[in-house]
Amino acid sequence: MNTQATPSPQFYLTAPAICPYLPGEMERKVFTHLVGPRAAEMNDLLTQGGFRRSQNIAYRPACEACRACVSVRILAGEFQPARSMRRVLAANKDVIASVGPAQPSTEQFSLFRRYLDDRHQKGGMSDMSALDYAIMVEDTHVNTRIIEYRRREPGAGISAEPKGELLGVALTDLMSDGLSMVYSFFNPELEKRSFGTFMILDHINRTNTLGLPHVYLGYWVKGSTKMGYKTRYQPQEHLTARGWERFAGEDGGE
């Protein structure tokens, strides 16, 4: 009889670094590698425990004096879009989404660079090359998909193969209890379309279609204006010391 235990993941702690969200704060992260035949199972467990995935790494904040980063997940089955969100859906009726394997393309990278140059000129990803982007997309041992959002060409039917302008891209993990939005980007000139909001609403709809309960949005950082949008999607749960609890916060607005 083989009594050898299944290898457990090894966790590591990063050195302190400047926090990208809160001025004057330092951040540390605990992380492990998502590799091997149990990577998808481990990704599920760790995401449900407040971790996020980046390539083949799962990480979560481990800051000594700060607990501002809070894991957020939307309760997709109970979600009802606010009036402003319904306007976003109406503004993007001409968008067709297609789901494919986690494979990069030159067209995706071009849009990615436009997004970074407009929104994140001084961020940690600002100098990413085409090779860096390819690694970000392809370096996964879990069930990851690329969702491309394109403008429907005039005269094309609803079921037509999407061939129009690429407007946005989402890198998404399919898990046992929902979808995890790993990273998304879009044409920064689409302010009237509120395309970031549209992609989250689309993920909520997809999660409901799959019969799964949750859309994982990553971390909401209390006090960070750039993360404030995540509390708009109600109802949602936040991971606390007592486990996942409903967040009685903003109602999404009208």
Side-chain angles (χ1 to χ4, degrees):
M1 178 179 180
N2 184 2
T3 59
Q4 184 177 358
T6 302
S8 299
Q10 300 296 309
F11 291 89
Y12 308 91
L13 188 63
T14 65
I18 296 175
C19 176
Y21 301 110
L22 299 177
E25 297 288 347
M26 301 295 289
E27 70 166 3
R28 300 189 78 177
K29 296 175 182 176
V30 60
F31 69 95
T32 189
H33 293 87
L34 290 171
V35 295
R38 296 183 62 236
E41 175 189 354
M42 189 59 60
N43 188 47
D44 277 18
L45 293 172
L46 291 175
T47 301
Q48 292 160 11
F51 281 71
R52 289 288 284 167
R53 184 182 72 80
S54 177
Q55 300 175 38
N56 66 354
I57 297 290
Y59 68 91
R60 67 171 298 172
C63 306
E64 296 177 1
C66 180
R67 297 292 182 271
C69 294
V70 179
S71 295
V72 174
R73 66 185 186 187
I74 303 167
L75 298 174
E78 300 179 44
F79 175 80
Q80 294 294 327
R83 184 166 55 192
S84 60
M85 295 176 181
R86 294 195 295 271
R87 289 197 293 264
V88 170
L89 292 172
N92 290 283
K93 280 187 174 181
D94 62 339
V95 174
I96 300 177
S98 60
V99 183
Q103 296 178 349
S105 70
T106 302
E107 187 181 24
Q108 290 171 19
F109 177 69
S110 178
L111 182 62
F112 178 68
R113 282 292 352 154
R114 289 177 64 189
Y115 177 78
L116 291 182
D117 292 343
D118 184 83
R119 299 294 181 94
H120 302 285
Q121 294 180 5
K122 297 181 180 180
M125 304 173 73
S126 60
D127 60 351
M128 285 181 64
S129 66
L131 178 58
D132 295 326
Y133 174 76
I135 292 172
M136 182 180 80
V137 172
E138 294 178 326
D139 194 1
T140 174
H141 294 254
V142 303
N143 191 0
T144 304
R145 295 290 182 267
I146 280 279
I147 305 177
E148 292 188 342
Y149 298 88
R150 295 180 180 275
R151 193 195 310 267
R152 184 184 301 117
E153 292 184 330
I158 295 178
S159 60
E161 182 70 21
K163 295 180 180 178
E165 177 191 358
L166 183 65
L167 304 180
V169 175
L171 184 65
T172 302
D173 287 349
L174 174 60
M175 306 194 310
S176 61
D177 68 331
L179 298 178
S180 177
M181 297 185 70
V182 177
Y183 194 79
S184 59
F185 55 94
F186 50 88
N187 185 332
E189 298 176 2
L190 302 178
E191 290 188 16
K192 292 184 178 180
R193 286 180 177 265
S194 299
F195 215 77
T197 297
F198 172 70
M199 287 195 287
I200 294 176
L201 295 174
D202 179 68
H203 277 71
I204 295 172
N205 290 335
R206 290 177 183 277
T207 301
N208 281 325
T209 299
L210 292 169
L212 299 174
H214 302 126
V215 177
Y216 288 86
L217 288 184
Y219 300 116
W220 169 61
V221 184
K222 188 174 183 179
S224 172
T225 56
K226 67 174 65 175
M227 289 294 183
Y229 72 92
K230 294 188 179 184
T231 59
R232 297 179 59 230
Y233 304 88
Q234 299 285 339
Q236 64 180 231
E237 293 179 326
H238 289 191
L239 185 59
T240 73
R242 296 175 296 275
W244 288 98
E245 296 183 329
R246 282 184 179 249
F247 173 70
E250 301 174 28
D251 63 4
E254 289 300 309

